[in-house]
Amino acid sequence: MNEEQFVQALHEKGIELSSTQVEQFKIYFKLLVEWNEKMNLTAITDEASVYLKHFFDSISASFYEDFTGKYSVCDVGAGAGFPSIPLKICFPNLSVTIVDSLNKRIQFLTHLSQELGLTNVHFVHSRAEDFGQNKEYRENYDIVTARAVARLSVLSELCLPLVKVGGKFIAMKAASASEELKDASKALSVLGAEKTADYSFLLPIEKSERTLYVFSKTKSTPKRYPRKPGIPNKTPII
């Protein structure tokens, strides 16, 4: 997917990029490749794949769920900024917080946001488990997103404590993850959420499968969750 195809594909989804936004994606790609030579941000570095598999894929959540309001968004384990930075470029109204356990990635994201001229973006170097127990952030966000970070049973424990009651947790998965959903049913119930939507679609051009799961936070998460770092991954709530 080249830049022109990217702009056209978003246009077909009702997203009109200004020349400034198009330039922001150009700078994003350039900095991603530059910094990737110094540190491992992504295995995908050719322009066509970055525009399709990182930029377009990240924005795909907005084809199905509303990002046009002044929402607070938290992105757990965003790595090189996906999906939240492409969403922020398209929807400048969003207030974005990214939490990542690797300080080098936080340094990249801080530099990136400065170069892109983004406002209302915050980067926190922390394990997601510790972050979720911090009163400053806990149950503080309208939308919490994560893209292919961990199995849904684990991801729910890292993300749902951050969602305010009435807010949403949007899990972006590569392919249909029905087994993951089944395994996560107890975790979702315990953590105070229920599935309200799921969407399956194919990425353009290469036709790879994608699934979005949307969970609504119906009640407050018990204080013991998330548990200490490493425990959700070792012993998920099943």
Side-chain angles (χ1 to χ4, degrees), residues 49-62:
S49 295
V50 168
Y51 270 83
L52 176 64
K53 294 181 181 178
H54 283 329
F55 296 166
F56 186 85
D57 192 21
S58 291
I59 300 160
S60 65
S62 73

Side-chain angles (χ1 to χ4, degrees), residues 28-214:
Y28 196 165
F29 169 67
K30 179 172 159 284
L31 289 174
L32 182 68
V33 172
E34 277 177 18
W35 280 64
N36 202 58
E37 289 173 7
K38 299 181 276 184
M39 55 188 283
N40 182 27
L41 288 168
T42 176
I44 297 167
T45 54
D46 67 286
E47 187 174 8
S49 295
V50 168
Y51 270 83
L52 176 64
K53 294 181 181 178
H54 283 329
F55 296 166
F56 186 85
D57 192 21
S58 291
I59 300 160
S60 65
S62 73
F63 306 158
Y64 304 95
E65 293 291 319
D66 178 34
F67 282 83
T68 60
K70 289 194 171 183
Y71 299 121
S72 54
V73 176
C74 183
D75 190 358
V76 175
F82 308 120
S84 55
I85 298 294
L87 285 166
K88 172 68 177 172
I89 292 172
C90 291
F91 304 98
N93 48 282
L94 298 174
S95 172
V96 169
T97 299
I98 290 178
V99 56
D100 200 277
S101 60
L102 196 64
N103 199 39
K104 282 183 179 177
R105 286 197 288 255
I106 294 293
Q107 289 169 1
F108 164 70
L109 292 167
T110 302
H111 177 74
L112 173 69
S113 69
Q114 288 165 351
E115 293 295 304
L116 298 181
L118 301 179
T119 57
N120 276 337
V121 286
H122 314 279
F123 306 105
V124 182
H125 174 225
S126 174
R127 293 287 297 262
E129 295 95 332
D130 295 328
F131 186 78
Q133 285 291 358
N134 187 321
K135 287 178 184 171
E136 189 182 341
Y137 308 114
R138 188 178 178 88
E139 301 201 324
N140 194 43
Y141 299 96
D142 298 309
I143 300 169
V144 176
T145 65
R147 182 172 172 257
V149 171
R151 301 186 313 283
L152 200 52
S153 53
V154 177
L155 206 52
S156 300
E157 186 171 349
L158 303 181
C159 294
L160 281 167
L162 299 166
V163 184
K164 60 174 67 165
V165 174
K168 293 175 184 174
F169 162 40
I170 301 176
M172 304 177 73
K173 292 289 178 181
S176 179
S178 53
E179 283 301 312
E180 279 192 40
L181 184 63
K182 207 186 298 179
D183 288 344
S185 61
K186 184 178 177 186
L188 292 163
S189 173
V190 166
L191 297 163
E194 58 184 40
K195 182 170 75 78
T196 47
D198 61 75
Y199 309 97
S200 294
F201 58 97
L202 300 176
L203 273 188
I205 301 170
E206 67 165 33
K207 304 299 181 191
S208 53
E209 286 181 50
R210 293 291 184 269
T211 302
L212 284 183
Y213 287 125
V214 182

